[in-house]
Amino acid sequence: MLPVIQFSDVVKIYPLKAGDVTALDHISFEVERGEFISIMGPSGSGKSTLLNLMGCLDTPTTGDIFMSGIGVRDMSDVELTNLRRDRIGFIFQYFNLFPLLNIIENVSFPQMLKSQKSVDPKKAIEVLHSVQLEEGLYTHTPLELSGGQQQRVAIARALINDPDILLCDEPTGNLDSKTGANILELMTELNRKGSTIIVVTHDSNVASYTSRTIRIVDGRIAA
Amino acid sequence: MSTIFWEISKRNIRIHMLRSSLAMLGIIIGVVAIGAMGILGNSMTQEISSSLSSVGDSVIVTPYSGGGGFGGGGGGSGSSANLMLTDQNYQQIKRAVAPNVAIPILSTSEHMKVGVGSDDIVATIYGIPTNQEKDLLPDLEAGDYNNENSGCLVGSTFAADHHIQVGSRISIGTDGQYGTLRVTGIIKERGMSFDISTDSALVVTKEWYQNTYNTQNVYNEVVVKVTSGDTATVKTIIENQLNRNIKEKTVSVTDSKATLATIYSTFGTVTTFVTAIGGISMVVAGVSIFNILMMSVNERIKEIGIMRSIGTQKKEVMSMFIYESAIIGVIGSLIGGIICILAGYAVSALMLGTTKYLFTVATMTSVVEGVGFGIIVCLLCGVYPAWLAANLNPIDALRHE
Ligand SMILES: Nc1ncnc2c1ncn2[C@@H]1O[C@H](COP(=O)(O)OP(=O)(O)O)[C@@H](O)[C@H]1O
Ligand SMILES: [Mg+2]
């Protein structure tokens, strides 16, 4: 089976007036289906850049990235956007739910983007059950929920279109340790059920939940 | 397009009700300004055309004064007292325009008193041949045409202002030195006209005028009532006859129809101009829409970044902001349109004393134009902020705090 993500000699250079910044320097690695990976490294080492490239928010300067075998290098903005919608689930540190939409609507949002019309909330409810959010909260707005509950909703939103991979940027960075542990347990369970998950973190405790850790230093994979 | 963006736009307007309402208010004012100006202008044009068209087709011949063509209007002959048409001119005109009737008219401004000890009045006195009074002034309100030398007709406004009835007596001259005239009839209101303005004037016989002021064989103007052929032809005939010497013209000829056309087009221009002033307030409204949409974009940079990162297309982000301006634009413009009709009703009633011109095609068109313009302005002002939002770099937008 094709790897979910394949980086092949990827270089990312940010051209700046003061001189080019090489954020990623000849990176190659593969993520297999069903893996639970953490990416660790000091600040400024290139973790966010790596996550943005994996999330198809940006394209490499040189080298190739394949998402389930599809090269993204020459994709248009419309194609990259559709790829993000259909194959990638994003989970952010600050949850980033839409304050104008209720919980069900937040979760259904990517589903509506895909179908281009309003959708049956059945699937959203199903996914919300799988992230263990109490049903009484489904018609509330995000700001009425606790941080842990919001992150559960965010995970449900990321899962709604059955993505190939979940990309998480410090998913527990804004939660207390007990809630953070609950979220990590949820992610472990999702991984057991088959989800491929990548977590960017600087917290080695988070990394201990994952089966593999990729360390980057100065834009390169260390060990 | 997905209904979720429509929903988000609606909710965003709702949670920012105050500023959305203010932007709407701007559009409402813009639409009302354009629509109300249009209503007023069109009502005025129609009001004037209804009072002018009753004049009928006539051609007015006045002595050539070197000036431009317009200015034929009746009355005010004081300044051109030395410029008179001769009887020979009159006979030439009469022959040239036959079978149309040519009426010679004398006029002056005079002091007079109605009743003993009353105030001194200054009014215009017209001298018209007795047998042609009927041709020029076909409608009397009361009494009969004047067929005696010391009789006169008075205009309806003059009669009302000075409590004059058939049989009233008016003494003419500063101390009544020209004798007394008896009112035989009251002329129906004629409104504005090109030939003579009788509403506030006296009409006397040509003989009384000539005897009193000792003016033989000269006239201030000649009015041709055009019943056969059209006014432009009659005008040309007269000019060909009397202005043979191009360098030294004898007469100025005013064609009532052409003058009317000029007046209409002038009113049209004024209406357009005034409506354009209304358009300025629409521009101001547009700026405020632009402003709130820029605010809306700026507040939601992070949200736009999230939307884009989880798979929202540029055009969908764009639609969200276009919807927002469209909602404000359509609601504001429609409210403006309704207020416009109400305001137009009030203004017409107050300024013109009638609302019969309100629900005509021309006035309703101006309301529709105002509403349409309002919606278009809103949409146009929404385009740039929406474009800006759609083209934010998703990574930068995501990082935005
Ligand atoms: N948009 C950008 N423009 C220019 N330089 C950038 C940009 N994003 C990141 N960088 C630079 O690239 C390097 C890696 O940054 P980043 O990927 O954010 O690291 P990390 O997330 O590990 O802290 C840093 O030197 C950073 O300054
Ligand atoms: Mg970072």
Side-chain angles (χ1 to χ4, degrees), chain A residues 70-180:
Chain A
I70 306 164
V72 302
R73 206 154 158 26
D74 301 317
M75 280 192 174
S76 68
D77 182 76
V78 171
E79 289 168 322
L80 287 173
T81 305
N82 284 336
L83 202 64
R84 293 198 293 271
R85 182 192 68 194
D86 299 343
R87 292 178 181 271
I88 296 160
F90 273 101
I91 294 157
F92 307 94
Q93 181 176 353
Y94 295 99
F95 328 130
N96 290 350
L97 299 173
F98 302 123
L100 290 171
L101 303 179
N102 69 23
I103 300 311
I104 295 266
E105 290 165 333
N106 262 285
V107 174
S108 309
F109 186 87
Q111 207 187 351
M112 290 190 263
L113 291 179
K114 194 168 181 174
S115 70
Q116 291 289 305
K117 56 178 192 286
S118 47
V119 293
D120 190 336
K122 208 178 87 202
K123 180 155 189 200
I125 290 168
E126 212 172 90
V127 179
L128 280 165
H129 277 147
S130 76
V131 299
Q132 294 140 35
L133 189 79
E134 301 95 273
E135 222 165 292
L137 298 171
Y138 292 3
T139 52
H140 285 235
T141 58
L143 296 179
E144 294 162 357
L145 270 58
S146 72
Q149 291 168 329
Q150 287 190 53
Q151 198 60 303
R152 282 172 197 275
V153 177
I155 293 169
R157 178 178 69 183
L159 289 171
I160 192 86
N161 281 342
D162 303 313
D164 293 347
I165 191 162
L166 285 183
L167 299 177
C168 318
D169 192 356
E170 300 278 10
T172 58
N174 208 36
L175 298 172
D176 61 69
S177 56
K178 187 169 172 290
T179 317

Side-chain angles (χ1 to χ4, degrees), chain B residues 62-86:
Chain B
T62 50
Y64 184 75
S65 59
F70 198 92
S77 49
S79 62
S80 58
N82 48 353
L83 281 174
M84 302 289 274
L85 293 172
T86 62

